[in-house]
Amino acid sequence: MSLRQKIDSTRLPAHIAIIMDGNGRWAIRHGLDRIFGHQKGVESVRAVIEASAELGIKYLSLYAFSTENWGRPDDEVSALMGLMVSSLNNETETLIKNNIRLTSIGDLARLTPDVRERLNETMRLTGACSGLTLIVALSYSSRWEITEAVRKIAAETAEGKLNAALIDEAEIEKHLATRGIPDPDLMIRTSGELRISNFLLWQLAYSELYFTEKLWPDFGKEDLYDAVIDYQKRERRFGKTNVRSPEK
Ligand code: FPP
């Protein structure tokens, strides 16, 4: 029985979020410059998108570039941005063909105009696709997102559009970059690091966490299947006794 056959298609995670870590270490272990690790990482991105679409996963979030990543050396930042643009240039047609909608979360105002324009164009071209929704976190950090939400809520409250006493979790969710997207059921992090690193802090409240030693460029379809199989063995209780889904 193949790994794929071990997956119960009636109990798939609706949303998988991935912290793609270990590109630099992969490159160093192969005696290469870090940037080659990122290049190889793009192949893993392709593999997990394909595997997710084939399985029938509804949402896939990928942490491609964090707010903190702006602090990396200029040549690494521009190489990462270059990879983003070339991937979008090469893959937009494939996304459309496979009915995949691209969307993004993050402080896009910080991106250079060429990256922003290419991203906006792919989001526009795939806007009507109704299969997998691919969420690329770019110039994203959860604290940035929550700070933005608080700022908007404060402004709407000051304008009298919101009543402070009535602000609840649903109202906060409406102001997050992920509005309309269900919380991740499963969060995967590669490379053996056991951290959340400012990724979807609000949204991961009840997610199942899966950590693997594999470095991102070595992560492929079978590794995604492994994670889904592990997820399906767990009992999700959402802080209750043994119910299957949260009340809300
Ligand atoms: C982490 O490895 C990876 C990143 C910061 C970037 C991930 C980006 C890609 C895989 C390419 C572009 C993405 C898309 C969606 C086309 P690291 O550099 O932190 O590795 P290290 O911890 O070993 O140094």
Side-chain angles (χ1 to χ4, degrees), residues 15-34:
H15 184 174
I16 299 178
I18 308 183
I19 300 179
M20 312 180 286
D21 197 10
N23 292 348
R25 272 162 289 167
W26 183 92
I28 289 157
R29 281 183 204 172
H30 288 76
L32 300 166
D33 190 76
R34 293 176 57 83

Side-chain angles (χ1 to χ4, degrees), residues 70-122:
W70 286 116
R72 292 195 178 192
D74 286 351
D75 58 342
E76 186 170 346
V77 170
S78 27
L80 276 166
M81 292 299 155
L83 270 181
M84 189 58 58
V85 172
S86 61
S87 301
L88 291 168
N89 279 337
N90 296 335
E91 305 294 348
T92 299
E93 238 171 78
T94 314
L95 292 176
I96 297 168
K97 226 177 270 167
N98 289 284
N99 202 20
I100 299 170
R101 178 169 71 104
L102 181 82
T103 174
S104 65
I105 52 172
D107 189 1
L108 303 189
R110 288 185 73 176
L111 301 174
T112 53
D114 59 323
V115 182
R116 200 168 43 240
E117 278 159 26
R118 179 62 259 191
L119 187 66
N120 283 333
E121 183 63 359
T122 302

